């Protein structure tokens, strides 16, 4: 399950008039911890400014994230599921937050509805808000290839030589 962190960065950029302007940007990062999310922000962000700083990192509780090829803006939807408690027989509400990218609020609502159409339990989308998120960085498993130092060899080669010598 993904753990999402909202990272805010700040840097200064020169505008057309030649004066420095402070820019604040917000990104969403899938990471294991606050430390990893900060490291991934420094890795991913290319602002054109050589010196930017991460001003805050907060955990964002998301049940799901729906990403589409098109759609510049990120919307946060509040979706309420209705379920029946088996012991008491009472109906209870479960609140979940979901993120979707779209060009407008109508398209965002349409995409949430489309993504949840296979749900078997009743739900209701109660809120849809535009977020300041500029980009989302999901976790990608990168295979790290470690280079073997020049003075060392793989164990398989050493073992093969020993067997050949015997």
């Amino acid at each position: 399950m993904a753990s999402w962190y909202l990272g805010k960065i700040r840097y200064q950029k020169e505008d057309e008039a030649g004066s420095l302007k402070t820019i604040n940007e917000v990104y969403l990062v899938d990471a294991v911890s606050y430390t990893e999310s900060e490291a991934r922000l420094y890795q991913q962000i290319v602002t054109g400014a050589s010196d930017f700083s991460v001003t805050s990192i907060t955990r964002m509780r998301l049940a799901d994230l729906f990403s589409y090829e098109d759609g510049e803006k990120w919307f946060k939807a509040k979706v309420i599921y209705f379920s029946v408690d088996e012991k008491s027989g009472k109906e209870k509400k479960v609140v979940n937050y979901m993120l979707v990218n779209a060009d407008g609020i109508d398209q965002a609502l349409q995409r949430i509805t489309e993504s949840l159409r296979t749900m078997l339990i009743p739900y209701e989308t109660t809120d849809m808000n535009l977020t300041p998120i500029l980009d989302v960085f999901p976790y990608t498993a990168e295979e790290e290839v470690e280079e073997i130092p020049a003075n060392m060899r793989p164990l398989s080669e050493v073992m093969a030589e020993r067997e050949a010598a015997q």
Side-chain angles (χ1 to χ4, degrees), residues 118-135:
T118 57
M119 293 291 295
L120 298 176
I121 57 175
Y123 71 92
E124 183 178 323
T125 305
T126 59
D127 293 356
M128 184 72 69
N129 297 311
L130 178 63
T131 67
I133 297 171
L134 292 179
D135 206 354

Side-chain angles (χ1 to χ4, degrees), residues 69-99:
E69 291 293 321
D70 61 333
E72 293 293 317
K73 302 172 188 170
W74 287 93
F75 292 88
K76 184 178 178 182
K78 181 179 179 182
V79 178
I80 299 176
Y81 297 97
F82 301 97
S83 65
V84 178
D85 187 11
E86 294 178 12
K87 294 180 182 176
S88 65
K90 293 182 181 179
E91 183 176 86
K92 66 177 184 175
K93 295 180 181 181
V94 178
V95 178
N96 283 318
Y97 294 97
M98 300 175 185
L99 207 64

